[in-house]
Amino acid sequence: MLYFDHCSSTPPHPDVVRTLSEVMLKHYANPASIHQMGMEADKLIQRARQLAAELYATRAEEWIFTSGGTESNNLAVKGIARSYRHRGNHLITTGIEHPSVYEAFKALEEEGYEVTYLPAEADGRVSTGKLAAALTDRTILVSVMHVNNETGAIQPIAEIGRLLSAYPKILFHVDGVQAAGKLETDLKGWGVDLYSISAHKLQGPKGSGWLYAREGLMLSPVLSGGGQERGLRSGTPNVPGIIASAKALRMAVQTASERRERMLELRSRLTAGLAGIPQLLIHGTDGSEGTMAPHIVCCSLPGLKPEVIVHSLEQEGIIISTKSACSSRKDQPSRVLLAMGCTHEVAVSSLRISLGDEHTKQDIDRLIERLSMIAAKLEPLAARRQL
């Protein structure tokens, strides 16, 4: 089986699985306990926190362990909005955000906040000019993802950070779930105040993630309880998940550069092959100027049902997906593609192919061949339905 759905979840690295198992068997004590076993578990957590700090040139105290990207995004967006409401009630995000960010802003609108949703350009990237025009003296938070989870478009995070540096009262959150371990990231240099990461997107375990929150920020917690993680994230820490995730993050970040170059070659081979399929549209740029993530290709076959293509490829031993995994089972057009100006017909027929370290040129060629065959087979049926 060829698995091309790494954006949804990656296969865990064998070393990560071993670490997870070892820690689960040996360090099962509650790290909040005052006995020796509890303190040993707590030491492991603090070591993992320090590792994240070293990888991103930050401070250990600035990292909060969560259950994954969704919780990290909710804690960042809701936590900042509620803590800084005395400054203003205007928030800015984009129409292409992951549901865990987009729906968090929708929930805040119900609490009385005013939210501006910026559209994306045709290449899938957000305009810093439009962002600048949307800023007001009541704006307290800007949230823009690093890499779009459907199209792979890399957002101009450094440019946005420079823009916002002139507005010290506006905080900047970045959903980095699809970028961590794949792209170089300079949190301090870019002026990022909050950054979300999920372990299972970089060969780590599910149910574990991080939120970087710059020192000095006020965050209103979204969970009530025992006050773990400095009162910001109550709940008994997932010690095995935290340690295994730290291992996955270290391996991904330290090898990101060489892996990225190899994956860019595979992506170029894939987009060149897809360009030969009639009627197929590739979203975004060719990535030659660093505008696209190396592991994501989004395309549409207007007139064809994407779920039929997905299941047809599955019968050929190939796994791909349609848009975000969080919304792939909903028979609706891609909100991301609509925000980029695509038509309903194009947005409702989108497919997402996401690459991993295990893929070869032969795998890419097989995917192109099978997809081309299936598209040619289904196209007459689509044309018949339109008559």
Side-chain angles (χ1 to χ4, degrees), residues 1 35-36 80 117 167 182 207 218 251 271 274 345 358 367 374 383:
M1 188 71 73
H35 50 63
Q36 185 63 32
I80 289 296
Y117 298 92
Y167 302 85
K182 299 177 179 70
M218 295 187 297
M251 291 191 298
T271 54
L274 294 179
E345 184 183 27
E358 76 274 20
L367 169 59
I374 290 169

Side-chain angles (χ1 to χ4, degrees), residues 198-214:
S198 180
H200 77 103
K201 306 296 188 178
L202 40 82
Q203 294 192 286
K206 295 177 179 63
S208 191
W210 300 261
L211 175 64
Y212 162 77
R214 178 178 56 77

Side-chain angles (χ1 to χ4, degrees), residues 7 94 96-98 120-127 144-157 160 174-176 178-179 183 267 282-287 289-298 336-337 340 352-353:
C7 277
T94 79
I96 61 171
E97 298 300 309
H98 185 272
E121 303 301 306
D123 62 0
R125 306 180 82 224
V126 173
S127 163
V144 179
M145 66 196 329
H146 195 167
V147 169
N148 184 265
N149 56 295
E150 289 190 33
T151 66
I154 301 174
Q155 302 307 315
I157 301 303
I160 294 173
V174 176
D175 174 359
Q178 292 295 347
L183 302 181
R267 187 186 188 280
I282 299 175
H283 302 292
T285 68
D286 61 6
E289 299 180 358
T291 56
M292 304 296 292
H295 63 297
I296 304 174
V297 173
C298 180
V336 171
L337 295 185
M340 291 167 55
R352 182 181 67 181
I353 301 166

Side-chain angles (χ1 to χ4, degrees), residues 136-180:
T136 75
D137 57 2
R138 296 176 292 104
T139 306
I140 57 174
L141 174 66
V142 170
S143 180
V144 179
M145 66 196 329
H146 195 167
V147 169
N148 184 265
N149 56 295
E150 289 190 33
T151 66
I154 301 174
Q155 302 307 315
I157 301 303
E159 295 176 31
I160 294 173
R162 285 194 294 270
L163 170 66
L164 296 180
S165 65
Y167 302 85
K169 292 185 178 181
I170 300 177
L171 299 173
F172 184 26
H173 166 246
V174 176
D175 174 359
V177 167
Q178 292 295 347

Side-chain angles (χ1 to χ4, degrees), residues 58-71:
T58 52
R59 296 173 57 86
E61 297 78 13
E62 296 176 310
W63 290 90
I64 304 162
F65 294 115
T66 69
S67 63
T70 292
E71 185 185 345

Side-chain angles (χ1 to χ4, degrees), residues 36 38 69 74 94 97 130 307 317 343:
Q36 185 63 32
N74 272 264
T94 79
E97 298 300 309
K130 290 181 180 178
E307 63 271 21
T343 65

Side-chain angles (χ1 to χ4, degrees), residues 21-100:
S21 177
E22 291 170 3
V23 175
M24 184 176 291
L25 290 171
K26 185 177 180 180
H27 298 283
Y28 47 81
N30 192 321
S33 299
I34 61 172
H35 50 63
Q36 185 63 32
M37 290 180 67
M39 289 189 287
E40 288 177 359
D42 184 61
K43 285 181 181 178
L44 288 177
I45 292 177
Q46 301 317 319
R47 195 178 306 163
R49 203 187 309 275
Q50 182 61 40
L51 175 62
E54 292 171 358
L55 291 172
Y56 285 93
T58 52
R59 296 173 57 86
E61 297 78 13
E62 296 176 310
W63 290 90
I64 304 162
F65 294 115
T66 69
S67 63
T70 292
E71 185 185 345
S72 294
N73 285 333
N74 272 264
L75 177 56
V77 171
K78 295 177 181 177
I80 289 296
R82 293 165 180 168
S83 292
Y84 290 89
R85 189 160 190 170
H86 61 282
R87 289 185 181 177
N89 73 331
H90 181 233
L91 316 171
I92 298 176
T93 189
T94 79
I96 61 171
E97 298 300 309
H98 185 272
S100 61

